Amino acid sequence: MSTRFRFTAPPSPRAATGRVAEVYGQLARDFGLRAPDTFVVLSSAPELLTGVWALMRESLIAGPGDRTGKELVALGVSLANRCPFCVDAHTMLLHATGDHALAERLARGERPADERHARVLEWGERSRVPGALDDGPYPFPRAHLPGYLGTALAFHFINRVVSALVGESLLPGGAQRLRPVRSLGGRALARTVRRTAAPGDALALLDRPEPGEAPAWAGGTPVGLAYAALLRAAMAGAGLLDTDDQDLVEEVLHDWDGSHPPLALTGFPDRRERPGARLALLAALAPYRITDEDVAAWRRPGHSDDSPVRLVAFDDSLVRLVAFGAFLAVDRLESTLGRAPGRSPARTPPGT
């Protein structure tokens, strides 16, 4: 699943060592791809890479619930967030589960024929709106909430990172839009996707949070510790903004109703005056709207030197700023989806 990157040049997976190499090893074993761009783009920040892999693995792959249902959640979230890369990826992964007819109905833009599948897909699509899922029952057993909700939150983060920093096309020339390519791609991943994965394996890659940091909705499963680890890693990016910019970004997220911003980006900070706040808010609300001009405006104040060392530092900082903005949106959703009383977007990672 090779595609181009936007704004950064991540380290080559062939050069990976330490925890990054271990993530790639688990990806190959449990996801069927050693180094998909979805994760390579985060590899300059190993704590972000391990956190998001752990959350995705422990929910989508090893968490409670049916894999087809969780793929439908990931697809619904990706549709709501307008992430064509992830929509195409999860259509292909539905082929890998063996649900070929379902995958093709969705590829044609049709509603699932099975009402249970339709409700799960709609649940994923509605999850972009804070509080929208608090009305009515879940479309899956309550015991499966950690798997389904963890998957939804993982992809609210992944969609935003991918839309900001990875190109739109899953395969060169948009080949994934061809039915034979979708089917063959899914079949190539089928053995891995249909294999049972042991919960908890990704936790060994993390700087483990305290059990009390895990959200209550995770029910003591590994999903909760993975979520807490990603929260810590992503919220550390707040330090890239000054206090005024942090306040502005968090105030906007606090009032966000889940809508996509208007074409004119009314109310967004001017890129010349507050480029960091603008980038963080775009990452949260409309990462597909980040432009070369937005990135260049943020780079100029502190990264005017074009030496290789400066460029590497800039890549790392941009990844961390995008992750911070993306996770503020996730945290806003989690505070309502998880029915966690009193939660609001945090300024700094817990325990620091």
Side-chain angles (χ1 to χ4, degrees):
M1 295 185 179
S2 178
T3 188
R4 63 185 178 86
F5 296 99
R6 302 177 71 217
F7 313 126
T8 71
S12 168
R14 291 190 295 273
T17 60
R19 286 195 294 174
V20 173
E22 291 181 61
V23 169
Y24 291 156
Q26 287 196 4
L27 275 160
R29 184 192 70 197
D30 295 334
F31 193 54
L33 298 167
R34 182 174 185 271
D37 288 347
T38 310
F39 294 93
V40 173
V41 75
L42 292 171
S43 61
S44 64
E47 70 281 10
L48 287 170
L49 174 64
T50 55
V52 72
W53 162 244
L55 182 56
M56 192 188 86
R57 184 198 183 277
E58 299 305 332
S59 56
L60 175 70
I61 297 172
D66 175 68
R67 180 65 182 265
T68 292
K70 289 183 287 183
E71 288 292 346
L72 284 168
V73 168
L75 180 58
V77 169
S78 301
L79 287 166
N81 290 327
R82 302 178 183 175
C83 181
F85 182 103
C86 294
V87 167
D88 290 341
H90 292 283
T91 303
M92 191 176 292
L93 284 163
L94 280 170
H95 273 292
T97 69
D99 289 287
H100 305 295
L102 172 61
E104 287 307 306
R105 285 185 69 91
L106 293 169
R108 294 191 299 268
E110 298 174 8
R111 193 173 188 269
D114 186 315
E115 190 60 31
R116 294 172 303 165
H117 289 160
R119 289 198 301 269
V120 171
L121 179 67
E122 290 164 4
W123 186 86
E125 290 183 283
R126 292 199 310 273
S127 68
R128 182 177 165 93
V129 179
L133 303 182
D134 288 342
D135 297 326
Y138 295 116
F140 44 78
R142 179 63 176 76
H144 295 169
L145 180 63
Y148 280 86
L149 182 50
T151 296
L153 295 172
F155 282 94
H156 275 295
F157 182 79
I158 289 169
N159 288 169
R160 287 167 167 82
V161 170
V162 168
S163 292
L165 301 176
V166 180
E168 289 189 359
S169 185
L170 183 67
L171 295 173
Q176 75 281 354
R177 305 282 165 76
L178 301 173
R179 178 172 180 168
V181 174
R182 286 194 297 268
S183 179
L184 286 171
R187 291 174 195 277
L189 297 172
R191 178 176 296 181
T192 302
V193 167
R194 299 178 200 180
R195 186 172 60 224
T196 301
D201 283 2
L203 299 186
L205 302 172
L206 305 175
D207 296 326
R208 292 278 286 270
E210 295 297 323
E213 295 177 43
W217 54 260
T221 67
V223 177
L225 291 175
Y227 181 85
L230 179 58
L231 184 154
R232 275 191 170 198
M235 297 305 294
L240 293 165
L241 300 178
D242 62 28
T243 302
D244 288 343
D245 279 354
Q246 288 181 43
D247 288 343
L248 171 64
V249 172
E250 291 176 14
E251 285 167 10
V252 172
L253 264 294
H254 184 269
D255 295 331
W256 177 52
D257 62 2
S259 62
H260 290 265
L263 188 61
L265 293 178
T266 307
F268 274 69
D270 185 276
R271 69 169 63 95
R272 293 165 298 181
E273 297 176 1
R274 306 182 80 168
R278 181 182 177 90
L279 272 174
L281 279 174
L282 283 170
L285 306 182
Y288 50 85
R289 302 283 299 278
I290 294 175
T291 66
D292 291 332
E293 292 78 12
D294 293 319
V295 174
W298 183 65
R299 181 183 177 189
R300 276 195 295 269
H303 302 278
S304 57
D305 181 357
D306 285 338
S307 70
V309 172
R310 284 288 192 183
L311 289 173
V312 169
F314 171 70
D315 277 9
D316 177 69
S317 296
L318 179 61
V319 166
R320 293 176 189 277
L321 183 60
V322 166
F324 170 65
F327 200 87
L328 280 177
V330 174
D331 191 63
R332 169 81 169 107
L333 296 170
E334 190 271 345
S335 70
T336 58
L337 287 172
R339 297 182 169 89
R343 286 290 305 277
S344 60
R347 288 181 190 276
T348 55
T352 59

